[in-house]
Amino acid sequence: DSQVFTKTKIDTTLQVWKNGTITVNMHIEEGPRLYIGGVRVAGIDSTRLGSLYEDLNSLIGKPFVPSLLTERVTNTLRSYRNLGYAFAKVEVLTYLDSLLVNVDVGFELGPVCHVSDIQVTGNVSVSERTVRRGLTFDMGQLIEGKKLDDSRRQLYRSGVFRSVILDFPDTVAAQTPVRIRVSERPFKSI
């Protein structure tokens, strides 16, 4: 993974030879490395922080690697979406203080969401009942990101659909309809 360095210097020299070839030489001085100085998490009560808190605090004093920070925060967001927080959002802010990066992670979980309705569109020759049989969730259950992904994959892998999209309205509500839009593959006759 890429660490972050400050005051990086790059010197480039070009040498043109008589035969027309060009040689490019690059000299890179990385400069001082940035380290994580502190991490604050907001928007989640301490009983829900669990492994995220430990995970992020384990980064303090270590080199700042943006992709690692993003991965850990994204995995936590995915976990909350799998617990029914369908509208959960996260914002990560970083502040540079000398050679230390301080990180603020703010979560906005929203309500725990349940499936209020399942709306199927785009099906022409495949019945809505057949589409619903391919789902890994039902009305009244939590809206879980993993189950939405599994359902989409299962419907697509059936070979009947060219595309499958599962989503829900942007309106934040505890009771939320799930929309399933399909595009059927043309039937082949033998």
Side-chain angles (χ1 to χ4, degrees), residues 41-49 52 76 80 107 109:
V41 180
I44 302 175
D45 66 51
S46 59
T47 59
R48 292 185 182 164
L49 277 174
L52 172 69
T76 301
Y80 280 107
F107 284 92
L109 295 180

Side-chain angles (χ1 to χ4, degrees), residues 120-123 131 151-153 155-166 180-186:
V120 179
T121 59
N123 54 318
V131 173
S151 294
R152 182 190 53 75
R153 252 189 308 280
L155 287 168
Y156 183 76
R157 286 182 181 160
S158 72
V160 177
F161 304 107
R162 182 181 321 190
S163 68
V164 178
I165 299 171
L166 279 80
I180 301 156
R181 292 177 287 178
V182 296
S183 173
E184 296 177 6
R185 291 185 191 278

Side-chain angles (χ1 to χ4, degrees), residues 139-155:
M139 287 182 19
Q141 293 182 336
L142 286 176
I143 295 178
E144 299 175 44
K146 183 176 181 344
K147 286 188 176 182
L148 293 175
D149 290 342
D150 290 346
S151 294
R152 182 190 53 75
R153 252 189 308 280
Q154 189 164 306
L155 287 168

Side-chain angles (χ1 to χ4, degrees), residues 38-59:
V39 178
R40 291 187 306 192
V41 180
I44 302 175
D45 66 51
S46 59
T47 59
R48 292 185 182 164
L49 277 174
S51 64
L52 172 69
Y53 187 73
E54 294 165 11
D55 218 17
L56 292 177
N57 274 328
S58 73
L59 298 176

